[in-house]
């Protein structure tokens, strides 16, 4: 299995910035896509941004311009830079990875444990 460990969450004032990190570990795996989701209290989990192994990115419309996703393939790490944070960005942020074993076409999805982001004055 692939384990995902997130870090970088915390309390930040409105207008502030945070950078989340997520590192994948395990043996004999190839990551295809990595992404970040968030779940606010009482709401469904939603996609924030995703990045393919090629570097192609996808952003939710509501976050474009404020959020940047990037990855370091050598470190199996994905980052989420969030700027101009708003109280409505408060949520648990989850890392997600689509991966496969070498020589296999089966895609497995793994999730991190989540990291809390709170935007409040």
């Amino acid at each position: 299995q692939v384990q995902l460990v997130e870090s970088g969450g915390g309390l930040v004032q409105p207008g502030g910035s945070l950078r989340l990190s997520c590192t994948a570990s395990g043996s004999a795996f190839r990551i295809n896509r990595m992404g970040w989701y968030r779940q606010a209290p009482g709401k469904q989990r939603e996609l924030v941004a995703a990045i393919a192994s090629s570097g192609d990115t996808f952003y939710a419309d509501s976050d474009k311009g404020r959020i940047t996703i990037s990855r370091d393939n050598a470190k199996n790490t994905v980052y989420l830079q969030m700027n101009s944070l708003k109280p409505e960005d408060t949520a648990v942020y989850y890392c997600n990875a689509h991966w496969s074993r070498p020589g296999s076409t089966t895609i497995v999805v793994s999730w991190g444990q989540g990291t809390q982001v709170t935007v409040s004055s």
Side-chain angles (χ1 to χ4, degrees):
Q1 270 289 358
V2 169
Q3 290 79 43
L4 302 176
V5 178
E6 301 114 330
S7 62
L11 173 64
V12 62
Q13 292 187 342
S17 299
L18 278 178
R19 189 175 87 148
L20 307 182
S21 300
C22 171
T23 298
S25 63
S27 60
F29 64 94
R30 176 182 176 275
I31 294 180
N32 300 317
R33 189 188 92 162
M34 298 188 80
W36 288 95
Y37 288 71
R38 66 185 173 196
Q39 188 167 20
K43 294 188 177 181
Q44 290 187 334
R45 191 174 298 188
E46 61 180 4
L47 176 65
V48 176
I51 184 167
S53 56
S54 62
D56 291 339
T57 57
F58 171 83
Y59 295 95
D61 286 340
S62 61
D63 298 320
K64 285 181 179 178
R66 299 190 302 120
I67 289 178
T68 303
I69 189 170
S70 60
R71 65 188 283 177
D72 184 332
N73 290 333
K75 297 181 179 180
N76 289 319
T77 298
V78 63
Y79 305 96
L80 189 71
Q81 177 67 43
M82 301 187 291
N83 301 321
S84 302
L85 284 163
K86 309 171 184 177
E88 50 264 43
D89 293 318
T90 296
V92 178
Y93 285 70
Y94 295 92
C95 178
N96 163 278
H98 293 215
W99 58 276
S100 59
R101 296 292 188 197
S104 172
T105 58
T106 301
I107 302 297
V108 182
V109 180
S110 291
W111 291 90
Q113 80 285 355
T115 185
Q116 177 70 46
V117 171
T118 302
V119 184
S120 175
S121 56

